[in-house]
Amino acid sequence: MSHSLHSNIRCSSSSSSSASPIPRLNGARKSNIAVLQKFEETKERIKKMFNNVELSVSSYDTAWVAMIPSNSGQHPFFPQCVNWLLENQHSDGSWGLPHRHPLLMKDALLSTLTSVLAMKRWGVGEEQIDKGLSFIEENIASAIDEKQCSPIGFEVIFPTMIDYAKKSDLNITLEPSNHNDLVHNRKVSLERASGSYSEGHEAYLVYISEGLGKPLDCERVFKYQRKNGSLFNSPSTTAVAFTNHGNADCLKYLCSVVDKFGSAVPTVYPLDIYARLSMVDNLQRLGIERFFKEEIRSVLDETYKYWLQGEECVLLDASTCAMAFRLLRVNGYDVSSDPLIRFSEDYIFNYLGNHTKDIDAILEIFRASEIIIHPNESILEKQNFCTSHFLEQELFSISTRGDKLNKNIGKVVSEALKIPFYANLERLASRRAIEYYDTDSTRILKTSYCSSNVRSKDFLILAVEDFNMCQSIHREELKTLSRWVVENRLDKLKFARQKLAYCYFSAAATLSSPELSDARISWAKNGVLTTVVDDFFDVGGSEEELVNLIQLLEKWDVDVSVDCFSEQVEIIYLALHGTISEIGEKAFVWQGRSVTNHIIEIWLDLLKSMLKEAQWLKYETVPTIDEYMKNGYISFALGPIVLPALYLVGPMLSEDVTRHPELHYLYKLMSTSGRLLNDIHGFKRESKEGKLNIVSLSLLARGFGSGSSSEEEIINEMKSAVNGKRRELLRLVFKEKDSIVPRACKDLFWKMSQVLHLFYANDDGFTSNEMINVAKAIIEEPIIENKLRSSEEGCASEEISNWAKN
């Protein structure tokens, strides 16, 4: 019985197979134009965002800046900040972000109390003070409500502010139980931060120093001062440091921030590098980065310049540094992992994990730690172990906290842990990113803030539209391929596995852009044919038929009615001849030269390697391990899938490039990894079938049989070899200096490597049928934008996740 996806997919005929990014849609031409116009308008809005980082101002931080006295001590140094507070109280008496989330009441209480204290400090705003105090008294129970989101340091800072209020003759009526709980929570939090020395604890105490009740020692404070004069880029922390110690650089920083924002300050500044990197990251994750190549390159060039100069705006913040490292490295910039050393296990567990609860930062470090390309990057290996261990431990609580502001953060973390970077196909990743995308840009430090550059609804709108448009093209291509299978009588070959959908899925999931249609079709057709040929050489053909097929391809132009030994040989030869000719014609358009002979050569290499394996099996010949692997990386059959597609992805390739050792080494690394993965996962099945396998050969070479203790040892050695070759492949793909092969072509080797690691994440995913629903999610199921926020949405991503987990 056929298990092909096509029998389970309802292919729509309403979409165009055009390579245009905006295919024809159902409805009148006017409707198509309107869709196109909306699409272009959204792109333009996003492009403009690269030039302007929007950042909300903070009542909390503005209040601390407002409390700084002038030299005389009788007036505020920043009267404009006091005036801003007077003019920006909400109707309910609170201060903070407008349109406050119901679970940000602690943030509102802290911002309101600090604003009240600032006005009391200067004897202004009696009416605003009264309204603010009323708001606090009415909502004070939220201060001890564990369901509420807590700003960083809230348990320490808020009780201290209550004490300040009392000393300032501000009457706040508290229930004794509420007061006792606040005092208890403060004590526990400080004991946790002060119990034993660690850099993470120390940084946290300085960051929330306004809540400690007394000034910290000058030396402890100013070791965290940055070149811009701030402490942690935090106006509130910097204002407190200046008030306590009179540091001139602190004042310069505060003056510059007030000058930039007018009469109020944000809770973190500067944020430009992080915000723009977040844009790049989001656009790439959502699968729409191809529309913003110039803007992305500009951001990465600027970031790389700062990275090389050792600028604090990139290197000191964990999220920014980790994201910059990852994005720069995967986009071909030569960056060392050394700057990540500062984010030690203590920093990760104590500062980020225990105190600031910055799961996003820990996730960023984890993602950066996956991009290992050198043998000596032990810092990344340690961080990968540390962050994955922390995230696994915290997964349940992350999911619980995620329901407060970002309901999908638990799913995002879970996906990152289950599906590693090296098995994450771009279209699967984009689908998950879209379904888990949160358009609410609210973030929490000591108070909440927003930046539309970090999260934007426009990103989601464009991503959904593009995903569905590309998918409509993919469905049409699959229909065309299904007809091709029938027209070429491949479905009549009873010995052959019917794997069209998997072959096309691997193409559509990695080469999804409309303009890569030729490459997808080539990839899929050759994938189908290599499967047919593999089965023919395995079980379907006699030795005479196998030799006959090779001879026919060598002669190329033959009389099939005379020269074919059998109908099976005829069907396979004609399918190969027609497909190679078709790809050769398309490649001529892309390359301006004939490459058909090269494609024939690639196929002959495969057929001859398969014949050798068939003869080993027939004549019970046992090759050496070296002989097996020298032949095996070719017989794994990735050559005809990947190598012809290189001609169809854009760059002009001279014969010197296609014959260059660098390109062959990329092919060998990819194929050897695939052969090892196949043999590791298929060992038991192939042993029962009497087939040769690197594991069984290694056992024989060491004098052990199947089932011995050395079996596990050999498999572990093979897994280690796969890891090494994968990292070397990735290093070569990222390498730009002295590289002959264009990046767009090198990417194909990496994309196929990702396909292999996903297919073999469990078992032999190509032989089994577990990926059926995963493939359907990419090819068949459109994303419905208005359902993205419903509880039912995300089922497609869960199919992907569950498959990877099982």
Side-chain angles (χ1 to χ4, degrees):
M1 177 184 291
S2 169
H3 293 283
S4 72
L5 175 62
H6 178 62
S7 61
N8 296 280
I9 286 185
R10 301 179 304 279
C11 295
S12 169
S13 62
S14 63
S15 305
S16 169
S17 59
S18 166
S20 167
I22 310 296
R24 283 185 312 221
L25 305 175
N26 282 333
R29 179 176 178 82
K30 185 181 293 186
S31 175
N32 293 339
I33 294 173
V35 170
L36 176 60
Q37 183 176 355
K38 178 183 175 183
F39 196 88
E40 294 300 321
E41 288 173 353
T42 305
K43 286 199 300 184
E44 288 305 311
R45 285 197 301 272
I46 293 174
K47 287 183 178 182
K48 290 178 181 178
M49 291 171 63
F50 279 97
N51 300 320
N52 181 35
V53 174
E54 294 183 356
L55 183 59
S56 62
V57 292
S58 158
S59 303
Y60 176 78
D61 290 79
T62 301
W64 279 107
V65 174
M67 283 190 270
I68 296 174
S70 63
N71 293 334
S72 68
Q74 302 302 311
H75 305 285
F77 194 95
F78 296 101
Q80 63 270 51
C81 292
V82 179
N83 291 332
W84 186 91
L85 292 171
L86 289 168
E87 296 168 0
N88 284 274
Q89 186 177 33
H90 300 312
S91 59
D92 63 356
S94 69
W95 278 266
L97 287 179
H99 313 297
R100 179 177 61 246
H101 193 285
L103 293 175
L104 287 177
M105 191 59 72
K106 288 183 180 180
D107 178 33
L109 287 169
L110 186 57
S111 295
T112 301
L113 181 53
T114 312
S115 299
V116 165
L117 286 169
M119 286 182 286
K120 181 66 175 178
R121 170 77 172 82
W122 304 115
V124 297
E126 183 176 347
E127 181 182 347
Q128 287 91 334
I129 290 173
D130 289 341
K131 288 179 65 177
L133 293 176
S134 296
F135 173 83
I136 293 169
E137 291 177 354
E138 291 168 5
N139 295 280
I140 194 64
S142 295
I144 54 173
D145 184 354
E146 293 183 358
K147 295 179 181 179
Q148 287 281 328
C149 296
S150 288
I152 296 173
F154 178 84
E155 292 81 1
V156 175
I157 299 172
F158 188 70
T160 302
M161 298 296 99
I162 293 288
D163 290 342
Y164 284 169
K166 291 180 178 178
K167 293 174 182 177
S168 302
D169 296 325
L170 289 171
N171 184 27
I172 301 177
T173 304
L174 296 179
E175 293 288 338
S177 60
N178 288 339
H179 181 265
N180 292 338
D181 286 341
L182 288 171
V183 172
H184 173 74
N185 291 342
R186 182 178 189 276
K187 180 181 178 182
V188 170
S189 184
L190 284 175
E191 286 176 350
R192 188 169 62 242
S194 307
S196 61
Y197 178 82
S198 82
E199 188 61 33
H201 293 327
E202 186 75 359
Y204 171 69
L205 290 174
V206 174
Y207 181 57
I208 63 159
S209 56
E210 65 264 38
L212 300 183
K214 59 181 180 180
L216 288 173
D217 176 77
C218 184
E219 185 176 344
R220 288 178 68 185
V221 171
F222 287 103
K223 74 175 182 177
Y224 295 103
Q225 188 171 39
R226 302 187 178 185
K227 291 178 182 178
N228 63 13
S230 77
L231 280 80
F232 306 100
N233 286 339
S234 166
S236 56
T237 305
T238 308
V240 172
F242 175 72
T243 300
N244 291 334
H245 302 287
N247 182 276
D249 289 333
C250 286
L251 184 59
K252 288 180 183 178
Y253 166 78
L254 294 170
C255 288
S256 69
V257 179
V258 173
D259 286 345
K260 178 173 179 60
F261 288 87
S263 51
V265 298
T267 196
V268 57
Y269 182 81
L271 195 70
D272 292 32
I273 296 296
Y274 173 77
R276 290 192 173 98
L277 285 173
S278 293
M279 285 187 67
V280 173
D281 189 40
N282 279 317
L283 294 172
Q284 290 187 345
R285 288 187 181 283
L286 293 168
I288 50 177
E289 73 278 11
R290 70 185 185 280
F291 300 120
F292 308 98
K293 290 181 180 179
E294 292 183 10
E295 291 80 7
I296 288 173
R297 179 58 63 180
S298 177
V299 170
L300 294 180
D301 283 346
E302 180 185 32
T303 304
Y304 186 54
K305 179 184 73 174
Y306 290 149
W307 182 281
L308 294 179
Q309 294 171 348
E311 292 292 340
E312 293 178 342
C313 60
V314 173
L315 300 182
L316 286 190
D317 174 69
S319 292
T320 306
C321 182
M323 193 188 307
F325 168 79
R326 173 172 55 82
L327 292 176
L328 289 173
R329 177 166 279 192
V330 300
N331 283 282
Y333 295 82
D334 184 15
V335 289
S336 166
S337 57
D338 289 348
L340 295 173
I341 291 174
R342 72 176 71 247
F343 308 119
S344 62
E345 183 175 349
D346 164 57
Y347 182 88
I348 292 169
F349 274 93
N350 288 319
Y351 184 71
L352 296 178
N354 190 10
H355 296 306
T356 66
K357 311 294 185 187
D358 196 346
I359 303 305
D360 286 331
I362 297 174
L363 184 58
E364 280 301 336
I365 297 174
F366 170 75
R367 286 169 171 161
S369 72
E370 291 189 290
I371 318 298
I372 300 174
I373 60 174
H374 299 297
N376 58 345
E377 292 190 308
S378 59
I379 178 60
L380 295 182
E381 292 178 347
K382 290 177 182 177
Q383 288 179 336
N384 186 265
F385 176 80
C386 174
T387 53
S388 61
H389 181 65
F390 177 86
L391 292 171
E392 285 167 359
Q393 284 186 325
E394 292 293 305
L395 194 53
F396 177 76
S397 57
I398 291 170
S399 299
T400 303
R401 277 199 306 275
D403 289 338
K404 295 178 180 179
L405 288 179
N406 182 357
K407 66 179 181 180
N408 288 323
I409 185 62
K411 293 178 181 178
V412 172
V413 170
S414 179
E415 294 288 352
L417 293 172
K418 290 173 187 171
I419 306 177
F421 164 74
Y422 56 79
N424 207 6
L425 309 192
E426 64 180 36
R427 214 55 181 167
L428 294 178
S430 296
R431 172 134 202 162
R432 290 194 304 274
I434 291 169
E435 292 182 346
Y436 296 162
Y437 190 77
D438 183 10
T439 57
D440 184 357
S441 66
T442 304
R443 296 290 181 271
I444 304 180
L445 296 173
K446 284 191 287 190
T447 185
S448 58
Y449 72 96
C450 295
S451 173
S452 59
N453 301 77
V454 176
R455 293 281 180 176
S456 170
K457 189 174 182 180
D458 278 337
F459 295 175
L460 184 62
I461 291 171
L462 191 68
V464 171
E465 192 75 20
D466 180 65
F467 185 95
N468 290 338
M469 289 176 177
C470 289
Q471 188 184 67
S472 69
I473 295 173
H474 299 164
R475 286 199 300 268
E476 285 299 311
E477 289 177 351
L478 181 58
K479 286 181 64 179
T480 301
L481 288 166
S482 298
R483 290 193 296 270
W484 168 80
V485 168
V486 174
E487 290 166 359
N488 283 271
R489 298 183 289 164
L490 297 175
D491 58 327
K492 303 299 183 184
L493 300 173
K494 302 304 180 184
F495 60 82
R497 291 165 292 168
Q498 299 299 312
K499 293 293 180 178
L500 167 61
Y502 283 1
C503 294
Y504 183 73
F505 158 73
S506 69
T510 54
L511 302 166
S512 59
S513 299
E515 63 270 18
L516 297 179
S517 178
D518 287 346
R520 278 194 301 277
I521 297 298
S522 170
W523 182 298
K525 285 187 175 181
N526 282 325
V528 169
L529 290 173
T530 55
T531 305
V532 169
V533 168
D534 182 45
D535 291 342
F536 185 58
F537 277 70
D538 257 359
V539 296
S542 65
E543 184 175 3
E544 291 76 14
E545 288 177 308
L546 308 186
V547 172
N548 179 223
L549 180 61
I550 293 173
Q551 291 172 342
L552 292 172
L553 209 59
E554 286 176 329
K555 292 179 181 178
W556 188 239
D557 290 319
V558 301
D559 184 347
V560 293
S561 64
V562 175
D563 296 331
C564 294
F565 277 20
S566 66
E567 184 182 12
Q568 291 186 147
V569 172
E570 178 184 331
I571 290 173
I572 297 172
Y573 167 74
L574 288 175
L576 284 172
H577 190 283
T579 301
I580 291 171
S581 299
E582 175 192 316
I583 294 171
E585 290 172 3
K586 290 181 178 178
F588 186 86
V589 175
W590 285 81
Q591 298 295 323
R593 67 184 182 92
S594 176
V595 299
T596 302
N597 286 339
H598 184 217
I599 301 172
I600 296 171
E601 180 185 327
I602 292 166
W603 267 105
L604 284 170
D605 286 344
L606 173 62
L607 298 183
K608 290 175 182 178
S609 70
M610 286 182 167
L611 176 63
K612 182 177 289 188
E613 288 188 352
Q615 291 173 335
W616 283 341
L617 183 61
K618 180 178 180 178
Y619 299 112
E620 297 183 352
T621 303
V622 180
T624 66
I625 291 175
D626 286 344
E627 288 173 334
Y628 175 81
M629 290 305 300
K630 184 178 180 180
N631 189 73
Y633 83 86
I634 300 172
S635 68
F636 191 60
L638 297 183
I641 301 173
V642 175
L643 297 178
L646 298 176
Y647 291 118
L648 305 170
V649 293
M652 300 288 286
L653 298 177
S654 67
E655 188 169 355
D656 288 342
V657 172
T658 58
R659 304 285 182 180
H660 197 277
E662 179 190 353
L663 190 145
H664 184 76
Y665 189 40
L666 288 162
Y667 164 54
K668 187 174 183 179
L669 285 169
M670 170 195 69
S671 295
T672 302
S673 295
R675 169 54 66 192
L676 292 174
L677 285 168
N678 176 82
D679 287 11
I680 291 168
H681 290 275
F683 164 60
K684 295 190 181 300
R685 173 178 55 81
E686 291 181 336
S687 294
K688 291 177 182 177
E689 296 171 358
K691 296 179 181 178
L692 294 171
N693 184 291
I694 188 62
V695 179
S696 58
L697 285 174
S698 298
L699 285 169
L700 286 173
R702 300 184 191 186
F704 295 101
S706 178
S708 69
S709 60
S710 284
E711 181 182 317
E712 183 179 354
E713 179 184 336
I714 289 170
I715 288 174
N716 286 334
E717 289 175 5
M718 299 303 156
K719 289 180 178 178
S720 178
V722 170
N723 289 340
K725 293 185 183 303
R726 184 184 67 241
R727 290 177 181 179
E728 175 67 0
L729 174 62
L730 192 59
R731 184 187 69 81
L732 290 176
V733 170
F734 291 164
K735 181 182 177 183
E736 290 199 350
K737 186 178 180 181
D738 300 325
S739 177
I740 301 296
V741 183
R743 174 64 187 268
C745 296
K746 292 193 290 185
D747 280 342
L748 262 64
F749 296 102
W750 178 248
K751 290 174 189 294
M752 177 55 86
S753 176
Q754 289 180 302
V755 170
L756 296 172
H757 280 87
L758 180 66
F759 276 25
Y760 289 105
N762 246 338
D763 201 338
D764 184 347
F766 189 76
T767 300
S768 67
N769 290 283
E770 293 176 330
M771 291 196 68
I772 190 75
N773 291 326
V774 180
K776 286 173 68 176
I778 298 303
I779 301 171
E780 180 186 1
E781 299 170 4
I783 299 174
I784 301 174
E785 185 179 344
N786 61 10
K787 288 187 177 181
L788 285 176
R789 294 292 170 258
S790 72
S791 59
E792 294 83 13
E793 190 61 36
C795 59
S797 290
E798 287 166 12
E799 291 282 4
I800 297 164
S801 173
N802 291 336
W803 180 85
K805 175 180 66 176
N806 290 334

